[in-house]
Amino acid sequence: MKFMLREAEKIFCAVLFMGMTLLGFANVVVRYGTNYSLAATEELLTNGFLILTIFGAAIAARRGEHLAVSLFYDLLPASLRKIVFLLSGLFSVALLALSAYFSWEVLMNQLSSGMRSYGLGLPAWYYHVAIPFGFALIIVRYLQRLWDEQRNRDSECVGGANV
């Protein structure tokens, strides 16, 4: 169970990506075999890529693999680095929280308006229900990473290895 919680977004992304690959492959086979196309696959794949991107960002947040420019940070003295580290974490979490909030607002708007998707005619909120939760997951994973990095920095300072 602990593995499932720790690796939930990786498992979700792997299953989603496999389903998207099979769906795209089926569309190509049908298109070349019958000269017809499975039109709904475009809708499913587009929304799948959106969800895959958000949950992939959660994986990157946990690993600390988001794009970062650390030139100026590396030039700062250790006392200022901690302040910049905490401020960047605060601003990142605030931005992610706003993204979660506004994606929740979009979801509620879609739910209340009865908007439907263009290809399959499904309620549009079906595709977007995972987005605010994906942003919340990114916040959790990002905070986990910040906690780990701060703990490692503190242990380096205590151990005298801070250079």
Side-chain angles (χ1 to χ4, degrees):
M1 183 65 175
K2 199 173 189 180
F3 171 79
M4 292 294 286
L5 290 175
R6 190 178 62 242
E7 308 293 335
E9 61 269 23
K10 291 180 189 176
I11 295 166
F12 180 77
C13 284
V15 170
L16 180 61
F17 189 67
M18 184 182 301
M20 290 169 57
T21 302
L22 292 173
L23 190 61
F25 179 74
N27 187 32
V28 169
V29 169
V30 168
R31 188 177 333 127
Y32 285 107
T34 65
N35 287 332
Y36 292 104
S37 178
L38 301 175
T41 59
E42 177 190 350
E43 175 181 314
L44 295 171
L45 291 175
T46 301
N47 288 295
F49 276 119
L50 174 64
I51 294 168
L52 190 65
T53 300
I54 291 172
F55 280 84
I59 296 169
R62 181 65 177 114
R63 292 180 178 174
E65 294 177 348
H66 278 287
L67 184 62
V69 179
S70 61
L71 174 67
F72 297 114
Y73 177 81
D74 294 339
L75 295 174
L76 292 174
S79 59
L80 284 178
R81 281 187 189 179
K82 186 170 187 170
I83 294 170
V84 170
F85 176 77
L86 292 173
L87 281 175
S88 69
L90 178 70
F91 290 143
S92 297
V93 169
L95 179 65
L96 290 165
L98 286 171
S99 298
Y101 171 76
F102 286 116
S103 61
W104 180 262
E105 288 294 317
V106 168
L107 177 65
M108 291 298 107
N109 186 358
Q110 289 174 340
L111 191 59
S112 66
S113 70
M115 185 184 302
R116 298 192 116 9
S117 66
Y118 57 90
L120 291 173
L122 296 172
W125 67 269
Y126 283 9
Y127 297 121
H128 295 272
V129 73
I131 294 173
F133 298 107
F135 279 117
L137 181 61
I138 297 170
I139 291 171
V140 169
R141 296 307 191 194
Y142 188 73
L143 289 173
Q144 286 176 328
R145 182 64 182 188
L146 288 176
W147 176 259
D148 290 345
E149 285 184 26
Q150 186 60 40
R151 197 174 51 204
N152 289 341
R153 285 196 178 125
D154 289 344
S155 67
E156 286 176 3
C157 290
V158 170
N162 192 16
V163 185

